[in-house]
Amino acid sequence: MAFSPATTAAATAAGAITFTSGRVASSPPSSLSSPFLPRAAGAIVARRGRAGARAASAVPVRAQAAGAAKKKVLVVNTNSGGHAVIGFYFAKALLAAGHDVTLLTVGDEASDKMKKPPFSRFSELTSAGAKTVWGDPADVGAAVGAASFDVVLDNNGKDLDAVKPVADWAKAAGVGQFLFISSAGIYLQTDEPPHVEGDAVKESAGHVGVEKYIAAEFGSWASFRPQYMTGSGNNKDCEEWFFDRIVRKRPVPIPGSGMQLTNISHARDLGSMLTLAVENPDAAAGKIFNCVSDRGVTLDGLAKMCAAAAGATVEIVHYDPAAVGVDAKKAFPFRNMHFYAEPRAAKEVLGWTSTTNLPEDLKERFAEYASSGRGEKAMTFDLDDKILAAVGAAPVSVAA
């Protein structure tokens, strides 16, 4: 979608950007707000008056509403990928609200995967009263024994083959509410972003098959479609991709114009949305929720925010993947397109509000990056160097 000259000019002024031979040089901007598409402009202007920085890692602690029943919740949690952190923050939010939580993680407690976050931080859950077990989602009963639950969340399966055993067990066990972590990636591309609940989806996607199945099997069900996530304990390399280059004073190659919009949410927002669904099952029943924050960010804006979080500057180099001869999916951790959803249903149906503050949340992520020592480790950037050589933008320094 084309941006008007006025929009482009405003974006340039906001970020103190200068273009030189395909490069974008930026210093830490005074305002890190990224421009949005015209369709969303009115809502964005209103939102920019929100209060400033929020707590970066704390999960909001809420007393249970008067008369609200304490629920027994089983979270079937993946042991890989970016979604593992969703179950972690959901469990934290449930515990803070006074609910009973059992976290069933796929696989073996002794596996090497469990040495990494968020799994290595499960003591934060057990110390707050959660139970943690490991096992095969195809046989939930073997993992949880005779325990009974009011709510089950499947945060593991991506297709019906994986989720059906969990759903069937839950139905047979008399579970009252079934929740599923789907994906905003199932939306068809649109000429009119953002994606909103009810937009067309890829019917062949595995997540769609799951949503149809649980809709037919449960009277009380809901599906949540997340995008990209940030937050302490996340183990998927997204922000780190930018930090790796920024701390080594390397250019950051971004495909296309850099004005592509996406959405990055702190995982605590996903946890709070899911918890509201547990506490308001009638309102949530039969609903699809975009499980995202309420602000978008451009790819260039994300690079600048990462640099600001690191207290550094960034040089952005734009390129055409086809002309350079690289696969953008391998060269860059985000989609080379507008990929931006809004959480309209959660706001309207659940009364949910977002706490994501990306500039502040990225400071939390950089602090973890710096303490890990990753910035000092030997690292090669062969694909970057191919891109930079092709566009005539050789890196200022090539660190080991």
Side-chain angles (χ1 to χ4, degrees):
M1 178 176 291
F3 285 78
S4 68
T7 304
T8 304
T12 303
I17 307 171
T18 57
F19 288 84
T20 308
S21 302
R23 298 187 180 203
V24 181
S26 75
S27 55
S30 59
S31 172
L32 293 173
S33 297
S34 298
F36 287 72
L37 291 174
R39 175 180 172 184
I44 294 157
V45 170
R47 288 199 295 265
R48 283 179 178 165
R50 294 184 302 187
R54 305 172 182 91
S57 61
V59 173
V61 178
R62 300 177 295 105
Q64 280 186 233
K70 177 179 178 179
K71 301 289 183 70
K72 296 180 180 179
V73 184
L74 173 65
V75 181
V76 180
N77 208 40
T78 181
N79 64 358
S80 61
H83 282 196
V85 75
I86 299 175
F88 177 70
Y89 275 88
F90 180 37
K92 288 172 76 76
L94 287 168
L95 291 164
H99 300 288
D100 185 273
V101 180
T102 298
L103 193 68
L104 166 56
T105 302
V106 177
D108 185 351
E109 183 179 6
S111 72
D112 287 342
K113 288 183 178 182
M114 297 302 110
K115 299 175 183 178
K116 300 178 180 179
F119 315 107
S120 60
R121 293 174 55 181
F122 277 5
S123 61
E124 296 175 31
L125 304 179
T126 55
S127 64
K131 305 176 188 68
T132 52
V133 297
W134 282 258
D136 183 354
D139 191 0
V140 176
V144 301
S148 62
F149 301 94
D150 303 302
V151 184
V152 170
L153 169 73
D154 190 304
N155 181 39
N156 174 61
K158 297 180 180 180
D159 55 36
L160 193 54
D161 287 344
V163 178
K164 188 176 183 297
V166 180
D168 290 350
W169 172 87
K171 185 174 182 179
V175 170
Q177 184 185 39
F178 193 89
L179 307 178
F180 173 59
I181 297 297
S182 181
S183 170
I186 66 177
Y187 286 115
L188 291 172
Q189 290 187 35
T190 178
D191 292 327
E192 193 182 10
H195 296 299
V196 297
E197 295 90 348
D199 281 358
V201 297
K202 305 166 188 172
E203 291 295 331
S204 62
H207 298 89
V208 174
V210 173
E211 290 177 351
K212 290 180 177 179
Y213 185 76
I214 62 175
E217 295 295 316
F218 292 90
S220 182
W221 67 275
S223 182
F224 297 80
R225 297 172 177 172
Q227 281 191 246
Y228 301 113
M229 287 156 284
T230 188
S232 177
N234 191 17
N235 63 12
K236 188 173 178 65
D237 272 11
C238 286
E239 308 96 321
E240 290 83 357
W241 185 93
F242 291 92
F243 295 147
D244 284 340
R245 289 149 181 81
I246 290 166
V247 300
R248 294 173 175 83
K249 297 181 171 56
R250 291 183 58 93
V252 173
I254 295 179
S257 69
M259 294 298 290
Q260 305 94 311
L261 280 166
T262 193
N263 187 303
I264 302 172
S265 312
H266 197 291
R268 66 172 175 265
D269 272 358
L270 282 65
S272 69
M273 188 186 295
L274 287 158
T275 300
L276 283 173
V278 169
E279 296 179 341
N280 299 276
D282 292 341
K287 301 293 193 305
I288 301 290
F289 297 98
N290 286 339
C291 204
V292 297
S293 71
D294 59 0
R295 299 199 68 167
V297 62
T298 63
L299 299 182
D300 274 8
L302 178 57
K304 289 183 284 181
M305 289 182 187
C306 286
T313 58
V314 62
E315 180 184 12
I316 299 169
V317 174
H318 296 130
Y319 67 95
D320 177 354
V324 172
V326 299
D327 182 351
K329 293 180 180 179
K330 296 180 179 179
F332 190 67
F334 292 85
R335 299 186 185 208
N336 181 26
M337 57 185 286
H338 289 308
F339 181 40
Y340 170 40
E342 283 192 348
R344 296 185 184 179
K347 288 186 169 185
E348 295 171 4
V349 174
L350 301 176
W352 174 85
T353 56
S354 172
T355 66
T356 296
N357 183 332
L358 198 51
E360 292 300 316
D361 295 333
L362 287 171
K363 292 178 183 178
E364 172 191 56
R365 293 298 286 152
F366 183 74
E368 292 187 342
Y369 176 90
S371 65
S372 73
R374 175 166 164 167
E376 289 77 46
K377 292 181 179 179
M379 192 172 290
T380 59
F381 297 88
D382 295 341
L383 199 51
D384 280 25
D385 290 341
K386 177 180 178 179
I387 293 167
L388 297 171
V391 299
V396 175
S397 64
V398 180

